[in-house]
Amino acid sequence: MYFYTMIYLITAIICGSLFSILFKVCARSGGDSRLVIFYNYITALAASLFPIGKGIFIDGTPASSFVLPGWIIGLTVISGLFFMLGFVSLNSSTQKCGVALTTVCAKAALVIPVILCYLFLGEKEPAWGPVAMMFAAMILIISPSPSAFKGHSGKDFAAGALLVFLCYGVSDFMLKLNQHSVRLNAGADQVLENAGMDSMMSFIFLFAMIASFAYCLMKGSFKNKENRLKNILFGLTLGLVNLGCTSSMIRSLASLPSNVFFPIYNTGVVLVGTAAGILFFREKMKWTQVLGLILAVIAVILLKR
């Protein structure tokens, strides 16, 4: 059990690190990020249906085991919306201030699910000192001088980074809440729980796809005929990475409490994303942002303990 938990955790870290990187590469190659997000969710939804088909036609799991009650489906609607908003804000922030800082802002959001899981799911009370340190780190990261970003004001960056922080924090909590609800609905039936996890993931991707489709319609993205194949390929890649990250997170959360999983996961993604931003995209950070990054990593370590 421990071995598989670690495999799921490492997979989640690798996949989670690729989101900002893919958006950065997509923008540099002339892709349309809105269409990439939509195609990503088509891919993720299609791939997430395979475990359901395997369960019914190969493993012999009753089809009724994959049916979720209405209240859980309602939770997946909210999760799907925040999944889509998270990608939109992540893409916008990546273009404005780079992979490294956007990744830090997204993963500093770990304090939100840790606090909310304590308040609403009865999990272990977090250490409030590290929580305060994390918020201080966010202030240092999102409050640079406007001259630090070419073509973007400090106010624009602060708003974008804060949106990434909030969307990812709520998204992570909703994922844990969905997983907790499926387990509660299944009781001691492990087959029913596994089937519920597969269905839950498909519903989340379905509603995220619907939300991204509406977003593309609103922005007129479907009228753009350029780089269609490129957008599809980027969407396919992002969708598989998205599925791998979400699936690995769900499986890890089934074995690890949120106050252990989220700090390890977010620390790993921050370190990999920061290294990629500096080494491959030649990004630079002001000393206040470097201090914020160091403070965030220390807060994560202390919070985990």
Side-chain angles (χ1 to χ4, degrees), residues 178-221:
N178 276 275
Q179 181 267 329
H180 176 81
S181 300
V182 168
R183 174 176 287 181
L184 185 66
N185 180 66
D189 191 333
Q190 189 62 49
V191 173
L192 185 60
E193 180 179 338
N194 291 337
M197 293 290 183
D198 291 333
S199 293
M200 177 194 75
M201 192 160 55
S202 293
F203 273 114
I204 290 175
F205 287 140
L206 171 64
F207 293 120
M209 182 191 72
I210 293 173
S212 61
F213 177 76
Y215 182 61
C216 286
L217 279 180
M218 183 177 64
K219 294 295 185 178
S221 296

Side-chain angles (χ1 to χ4, degrees), residues 96-119:
K96 291 178 180 179
C97 56
V99 172
L101 293 177
T102 298
T103 301
V104 175
C105 291
K107 298 313 167 186
L110 72 94
V111 298
I112 295 178
V114 168
I115 293 173
L116 293 180
C117 285
Y118 161 67
L119 293 176

Side-chain angles (χ1 to χ4, degrees), residues 208-258:
M209 182 191 72
I210 293 173
S212 61
F213 177 76
Y215 182 61
C216 286
L217 279 180
M218 183 177 64
K219 294 295 185 178
S221 296
F222 293 114
K223 297 178 182 179
N224 182 13
K225 305 301 182 182
E226 297 181 1
N227 299 319
R228 177 177 295 176
L229 179 59
K230 184 180 295 183
N231 291 330
I232 293 174
L233 291 177
F234 270 114
L236 174 64
T237 303
L238 184 63
L240 293 177
V241 170
N242 191 8
L243 177 66
C245 183
T246 304
S247 177
S248 298
M249 287 180 68
I250 290 173
R251 302 304 181 190
S252 296
L253 285 167
S255 303
L256 296 173
S258 63

